[in-house]
Amino acid sequence: MEMALSRPGLISLAAGFTDSDSLPVEDARQILNDLLRSRKTGRVALQYGSTQGEAILRNATAQRLAYLDGASDTDAAWSADRMIITNGSQQLLYLVSEVLCDPGDIVLLEDPTYFVYLGIVEALGLRARGIRIENDGLDPQRLDEALASLKRAGRLPRVKMLYAVTYFQNPTGITASLEKKRAILSLLRKYERSAGHPIYLVEDAAYRELRFSGEDVKSALAVPGAQDRVIYAGTYSKPFATGTRVGFGLLPEPVFTAVLRSKGNHDFGSSNLLQHLLARALLSGRYDRHVARLRKRYAAKAAVMRRAMEQHFPDSVEWAEPRGGLYFWARTPARLKTGTDSKLFQTALANEVLYVPGVLCYANDPERAKPDREMRISFGSASESDIRTGIARLGASLQELCG
Ligand SMILES: Cc1ncc(COP(=O)(O)O)c(C=O)c1O
């Protein structure tokens, strides 16, 4: 981000920013005008709220999730009572990891994973154990092997949670199937007895609503009998406005109470004004209309990127088109590294284009060397013309080194 700001000619396909032109300025203005037109509603919105978050937003969000998961909105697993509104889903991920884990504990996660989460792991003094990801989510066999080896080493008591980005994953674009979620939950349950405590699945659904083709997959909450082990993290950043930083979580007891207490100590509640903004967007139908427009916009940008990659990338570079989210994930041929010290990264930089080196998305794991032949390439914030030019520049850099 710093580099992109300091070099105006540089096209960044690296940042996870959303599309600026699509931000709902008019919607937000209308809603805020309505909200602040009356002293009564304005005063409520401008006052402190509760630590858990505005009931009106929690109810609207819980109902929406129940609808997406094909559940009844009276089902306890989707109850607004077990929802906490947070400052972005990032805060929820931090709080959950903080309350569940002690320094030295092991967090199971996808290999590769959302690299900012790796920062939380490091900050809390935790260790990460990466599990290979397949085209439809975590490989259950590898998860079983990892859990079995931790059990043999007597380290299972150090495992409290598995973190997975289940929709259009950052960075690979992969979506986990419901079968995979079921398999993961049943494996976690199987090893709980040896662990001596519950092992939770933290399902990060940050990109769920940014789906532009295919069907929605139900969340892990829809796996029968697993609701007391699923922590669902969602956000309005990606589908509405990144600047609002309103996220939310559905949590089972006793994690709910522990996270609520911790959030109380951090900030005793997220911005009330922004929660009212989101609640009104949801209840007025503006949110749905905005998401529908946004999906079309990202579908168009992803198609522009796909066509540019088809045109400019050598055949030896592998990539798959995502069905949602903001990212393409590409793999270079053997021996062509992509890390910041690599020739490719430096050539791309000289050609004024930036991507995220895949190596940053892998946890430190003494059991394997970090793969260093991948790139995360985002169509989120760049304009269509910058996507074309950026991919042409990256393609030229790849052609130069692939021969
Ligand atoms: C996978 C994933 N989870 C969570 C977040 C955090 O988003 P926010 O805190 O804005 O909700 C991001 C942001 O890029 C993300 O990519």
Side-chain angles (χ1 to χ4, degrees), residues 122-163:
E122 206 177 300
L124 293 175
L126 312 177
R127 277 172 286 182
R129 179 75 171 261
I131 312 290
R132 193 179 76 160
I133 183 168
E134 301 180 301
N135 284 339
D136 60 347
L138 266 190
D139 180 344
Q141 199 184 327
R142 295 291 178 97
L143 177 60
D144 199 4
E145 285 163 14
L147 286 164
S149 104
L150 287 164
K151 183 178 170 186
R152 281 194 301 276
R155 292 165 75 205
L156 216 42
R158 306 303 317 239
V159 179
K160 319 275 175 56
M161 59 177 271
L162 184 151
Y163 167 71

Side-chain angles (χ1 to χ4, degrees), residues 15-17 86-93 110 113-117 163-171 204-207 233-239 241-248 326-327 376:
F17 278 37
T86 49
N87 280 309
S89 50
Q90 192 66 29
Q91 184 184 39
L92 187 85
L93 298 178
E110 293 150 326
T113 187
Y114 169 43
F115 58 83
V116 181
Y117 184 73
Y163 167 71
V165 184
T166 47
Y167 296 87
F168 318 111
Q169 196 226 23
N170 179 2
D204 179 345
Y207 297 89
T235 182
Y236 288 115
S237 286
K238 310 287 176 183
T242 29
T244 60
R245 307 305 317 288
V246 175
F248 52 88
L326 302 178
Y327 313 107
R376 192 194 77 175

